[in-house]
Amino acid sequence: MNIDMELYKVFYTVANCKNISKAAEKLFISQPAISKSIKKLEEALGIPLFVRNSRGVKLTNEGSIFFDYVEKAMTELSLGVTILDKIKTNEYGSLKMSVSTTLCKHLLLPHLKTYIHLNPNVKIQIFNRSTFETLKLVDEGIIDFGLVSQPFDNQNYEFIKLMDIHDVFIACNSYIESHDIMNSDNFFTDHTIMLLEEDNITRKYINKYLILNNITAKPEIETGNMDILIEFAKLGLGITVLIKEFIQEDLTSGNLSELPVTPPIPPRAVGIVYHKNFPLSLASKKFINHLTNQY
């Protein structure tokens, strides 16, 4: 049975006001229009809903039963509108994102606390995944967006750049001095090289640089976590490649030193990626706006 929702609204208002003229004033429509709507609803349901009395109108027994259900529906609709209003003002909502361990620590966490403080009722779900795994989650629509590093080649994505990062060769001063690296003919073959594992997007970017520059570098230590490489470098285990922007404090303090390499590794971008075919929620859009304003 298809019944115009407006008829339910008229019925609900008349039942609450118990008077057609008052209901007409509240709905900003004429009394004849109210009466016509009630009659139309009663005909559609096949049962009388109101009886007239000296004070106005009164629900029939059947009308009272029907009113209980209409009232619940109207309450739920009102709640839905309220929630949507809260979502629009970012008081409520949810978002799902994915980010690698490194980008989570250095790119997301510094600004997440402020966002949570400003939007305590927004539910945030975070997946800790590599860039390639994040892109798969984006493709499947499991997450709203991901924080990733380029390059990746796919026309299905939108990418919002947050900043450029620079991959640099790093070692601690004790390793540099004890191994006389600055006088080494080829530190790529003469010394211990430590890199991320092969399936990491940063490792693929480094491999591309090495191949383009005819550099042979066989890593003796491989790990899936850049923070572990940082600690290995501080211990003096060898030479590694790290993101300069993420170890600036160690470079400034002298815990680590950048090794001059010609040509330098080209910079690359890190930012937000989402699928062109999956619209972002309002909460996601506002979070992305919050993050982009920090860079």
Side-chain angles (χ1 to χ4, degrees):
M1 180 186 298
N2 294 322
I3 298 178
D4 189 345
M5 278 296 298
E6 192 64 27
L7 299 183
Y8 294 122
K9 183 179 179 181
V10 171
F11 166 77
Y12 179 70
T13 305
V14 172
N16 275 312
C17 292
K18 298 180 176 61
N19 186 286
I20 289 178
S21 62
K22 290 181 180 179
E25 291 176 6
K26 193 168 185 177
L27 294 173
F28 300 101
I29 56 179
S30 67
Q31 292 185 42
I34 292 282
S35 298
K36 185 176 180 181
S37 294
I38 292 299
K39 183 179 180 182
K40 187 175 181 180
L41 179 61
E42 289 177 330
E43 288 176 350
L45 296 173
I47 197 167
L49 299 172
F50 292 101
V51 292
R52 290 186 177 274
N53 58 30
S54 58
R55 296 181 181 180
V57 292
K58 178 183 177 182
L59 286 168
T60 63
N61 289 336
E62 295 79 9
S64 294
I65 295 172
F66 185 57
F67 175 80
D68 289 340
Y69 290 95
V70 173
E71 184 177 40
K72 291 176 184 178
M74 290 299 179
T75 301
E76 289 298 314
L77 286 172
S78 179
L79 178 60
V81 171
T82 300
I83 290 175
L84 287 179
D85 286 339
K86 288 182 178 294
I87 290 174
K88 287 190 290 185
T89 57
N90 224 29
E91 294 178 25
Y92 188 85
S94 64
L95 58 89
K96 295 181 182 179
M97 72 178 86
S98 178
V99 60
S100 68
T101 301
T102 299
L103 294 184
C104 183
K105 178 180 178 180
H106 299 283
L107 197 68
L108 176 63
L109 286 181
H111 308 295
L112 188 58
K113 183 177 180 179
T114 303
Y115 178 83
I116 293 173
H117 177 72
L118 294 172
N119 307 278
N121 295 321
V122 175
K123 182 180 178 181
I124 302 175
Q125 187 173 355
I126 301 175
F127 295 81
N128 181 209
R129 300 288 189 273
S130 69
T131 289
F132 292 120
E133 290 171 329
T134 293
L135 293 176
K136 184 178 180 182
L137 293 176
V138 170
D139 288 336
E140 294 173 351
I142 295 174
I143 59 173
D144 299 304
F145 61 90
L147 295 176
V148 299
S149 60
Q150 285 188 307
F152 54 83
D153 183 21
N154 196 309
Q155 299 300 313
N156 293 326
Y157 305 126
E158 293 285 357
F159 181 77
I160 301 172
K161 177 181 172 181
L162 294 177
M163 63 182 291
D164 282 323
I165 56 175
H166 299 78
D167 299 281
V168 292
F169 288 91
I170 295 292
C172 72
N173 289 330
S174 61
Y175 187 90
I176 293 172
E177 293 170 2
S178 63
H179 291 77
D180 197 20
I181 289 180
M182 295 309 178
N183 295 319
S184 176
D185 292 332
N186 188 344
F187 68 67
F188 293 104
T189 56
D190 296 343
H191 303 286
T192 300
I193 302 297
M194 307 180 294
L195 295 176
L196 292 169
E197 294 173 341
E198 287 280 358
D199 61 350
N200 187 282
I201 194 169
T202 295
R203 173 64 182 278
K204 292 183 181 298
Y205 191 69
I206 301 306
N207 284 349
K208 182 178 179 180
Y209 162 82
L210 296 173
I211 292 171
L212 288 175
N213 291 279
N214 298 313
I215 298 173
T216 300
K218 185 177 180 180
E220 296 181 41
I221 296 176
E222 293 179 299
T223 178
N225 190 304
M226 186 169 289
D227 285 337
I228 293 178
L229 286 181
I230 293 174
E231 297 306 315
F232 283 172
K234 288 180 181 180
L235 289 174
L237 289 179
I239 298 168
T240 188
V241 179
L242 302 173
I243 297 171
K244 186 173 184 177
E245 287 74 12
F246 298 165
I247 57 165
Q248 196 59 58
E249 186 175 332
D250 286 312
L251 292 173
T252 301
S253 66
N255 289 329
L256 298 172
S257 294
E258 180 180 351
L259 301 174
V261 177
T262 303
I265 303 172
R268 56 194 170 112
V270 292
I272 299 161
V273 64
Y274 61 93
H275 203 285
K276 291 180 178 179
N277 295 335
F278 300 144
L280 290 170
S281 66
L282 289 175
S284 295
K285 289 179 180 178
K286 291 187 176 182
F287 180 85
I288 290 172
N289 185 60
H290 170 81
L291 201 56
T292 52
N293 285 337
Q294 311 304 314
Y295 292 93

